[in-house]
Amino acid sequence: MSHAGFSSAWRRWTWRGLAGAALTLLLWLARLLQLAPGHAPAPQPTVTILVWHWPFTAQPPELSRNTCAAYGLSHCQLSTNRSLLARADAVVFHHRELETRRSYLPLAQRPRGQPWVWASMESPSHTHGLHRLRGIFNWVLSYRRDSDIFVPYGRLEPRQGPAPPLPAKNRLAAWVISNFHERQQRVQLYRQLAPHLRVDVFGRASRRPLCPNCLLPTLAPYHFYLAFENSQHRDYITEKFWRNALAAGAVPVVLGPPRATYEAFVPRDAFIHVDDFGSAFELATFLTGMNESHYQRFLAWRGRLRVQLLADWRERFCAICARLPHLPRDQVYEDLDGWFRG
Ligand SMILES: *[C@@H]1O[C@H](CO)[C@@H](O)[C@H](O)[C@H]1NC(C)=O
Ligand SMILES: *[C@@H]1O[C@H](CO)[C@@H](O)[C@H](O)[C@H]1NC(C)=O
């Protein structure tokens, strides 16, 4: 074989090899993209979330195949049908119904490797019996930002179009309270403020109860709303802030976690934090002495942002589907009590 003949045979062989390799690569890519003939895109399997008991009620809302689609989550189904325990992709347990009954958990029937979710929107001060729940749950669903499934009580979103106008602000400060106890920090602060600041008190604990639909129209004419949480805990910011103040268009005066936590959720000039004042008298003086242009700065965010309340348990539970592919399956909360109180 001449040198030239060898070289051309080698070249032919190389080209055939390269063409073969290229074809293999293309087929492999096509398979990867599911474009190869006979390979229709595989339907995405539907994730089933079993809700062991609906929070606070024996009457769960109507659940359909489209429940989670309403929140932008397809292939995600909520069910309260306990016969699905053996094949649910995750089971979620709301804490209040477990508080006194660990026996309520179907531990003996739990399929191996099935993720269980512990869910609560209450603060540690109103959460009991966690020490009985050691080493059971894989994931936590709560308002805490470090939850596996983080579900805040509300959030701000970009606004399309102009903000709806607020009614004339002809009242000073409002507070809605249903459980009034002298030992609460919020009640002590109210007692200190009251001599210096006119506060109109509404709710079950007052002589002025409010029907649910009257809440926002009643609060909107107020300049300020006392968004005092019932207890002070890490990330615990509730509908008192999101709904009663921000959504109603009253500037929140907040008592709760530190200023930095609120600033993680809303612009720094969307609220007034009681920690920024040396005394209740100073706070009252600041509120009563504020001029109109200063006041309007606290509402400036409304031009760009709107409040989205996240109050529906269906939306909270559907959120599990969005997080499911990203959550560690081998994680277990050995000390749920320690984590939640930490
Ligand atoms: C619950 O699920 C089981 C098994 O899929 C089914 O046979 C049963 O009809 C369901 N029950 C209800 C009330 O939907
Ligand atoms: C309103 O109050 C702000 C802040 O105290 C002050 O800087 C501003 O000069 C006041 N404006 C008027 C018009 O009084």
Side-chain angles (χ1 to χ4, degrees):
M1 195 187 273
S2 76
H3 178 75
F6 170 81
S7 145
S8 81
W10 187 81
R11 220 178 289 132
R12 264 202 311 278
W13 181 83
T14 315
W15 278 118
R16 221 178 286 143
L18 274 178
L23 190 65
T24 313
L25 188 72
L26 269 173
L27 280 174
W28 179 78
L29 266 175
R31 254 219 352 243
L32 200 71
L33 299 170
Q34 296 177 324
L35 295 173
H39 285 84
Q44 200 181 329
T46 292
V47 171
T48 302
I49 307 293
L50 173 57
V51 182
W52 196 246
H53 30 59
W54 204 263
F56 307 111
T57 176
Q59 294 287 308
E62 199 71 32
L63 300 174
S64 80
R65 285 213 155 263
N66 296 325
T67 298
C68 292
Y71 304 113
L73 287 157
S74 53
H75 308 289
C76 174
Q77 195 178 7
L78 299 184
S79 177
T80 52
N81 184 343
R82 291 184 178 183
S83 358
L84 299 180
L85 177 64
R87 61 173 191 82
D89 296 284
V91 187
V92 56
F93 298 88
H94 180 248
H95 181 71
R96 179 56 57 84
E97 291 76 21
L98 296 177
E99 214 153 68
T100 51
R101 294 184 286 177
R102 185 181 186 277
S103 59
Y104 211 41
L105 290 166
L107 284 164
Q109 293 88 46
R110 181 179 191 173
R112 177 185 288 274
Q114 182 179 65
W116 279 14
V117 185
W118 179 83
S120 182
M121 295 298 279
E122 303 297 317
S123 82
S125 295
H126 295 93
T127 303
H128 307 288
L130 278 181
H131 59 278
R132 287 193 289 267
L133 303 175
R134 300 174 73 90
I136 294 173
F137 294 100
N138 306 95
W139 304 329
V140 161
L141 179 152
S142 86
Y143 61 83
R144 273 262 297 263
R145 280 177 290 167
D146 57 347
S147 301
D148 303 287
I149 301 111
F150 165 50
V151 284
Y153 277 84
R155 63 170 172 254
L156 294 185
E157 291 185 342
R159 182 189 287 285
Q160 321 289 320
L166 292 172
K169 295 278 179 186
N170 49 18
R171 290 168 190 192
L172 192 55
W175 189 31
V176 178
I177 174 113
S178 41
N179 296 299
F180 190 99
H181 297 290
E182 292 297 340
R183 63 183 153 73
Q184 292 171 344
Q185 207 180 324
R186 61 179 176 181
V187 169
Q188 290 163 16
L189 181 56
Y190 164 72
R191 292 266 187 238
Q192 293 164 5
L193 278 172
H196 313 291
L197 178 76
R198 179 177 167 161
V199 179
D200 292 346
V201 183
F202 299 92
R204 254 196 345 232
S206 74
R207 266 163 294 156
R208 283 179 284 195
L210 281 178
C211 69
N213 292 334
C214 316
L215 189 74
L216 297 197
T218 304
L219 299 178
Y222 285 87
H223 284 82
F224 304 105
Y225 180 80
L226 305 187
F228 292 178
E229 298 302 343
N230 64 23
S231 48
Q232 284 63 59
H233 294 283
R234 179 166 163 177
D235 295 346
Y236 189 59
I237 302 174
T238 69
E239 79 290 341
K240 296 169 181 63
F241 176 73
W242 292 107
R243 183 192 60 195
N244 302 11
L246 295 185
V251 172
V253 178
V254 303
L255 169 70
R259 165 172 275 283
T261 305
Y262 286 91
E263 288 185 12
F265 289 95
V266 302
R268 68 183 322 275
D269 54 3
F271 63 95
I272 294 161
H273 201 299
V274 302
D275 288 355
D276 293 344
F277 300 87
S279 66
F281 176 71
E282 254 181 55
L283 170 59
T285 307
F286 178 78
L287 297 178
T288 50
M290 193 180 291
N291 64 35
E292 184 58 23
S293 62
H294 192 186
Y295 177 73
Q296 285 303 326
R297 291 219 304 267
F298 287 98
L299 294 174
W301 61 270
R302 296 182 79 251
R304 301 171 278 124
L305 300 161
R306 56 179 277 273
V307 179
Q308 178 68 46
L309 300 175
L310 303 168
D312 194 314
W313 278 102
R314 282 172 295 193
E315 182 167 17
R316 291 168 180 164
F317 290 144
C318 290
I320 299 171
C321 283
R323 293 284 299 133
L324 195 94
H326 312 289
L327 294 175
R329 293 196 167 250
D330 51 359
Q331 169 181 284
V332 177
Y333 282 83
E334 292 299 345
D335 182 11
L336 188 58
D337 196 37
W339 178 82
F340 199 46
R341 286 171 207 291

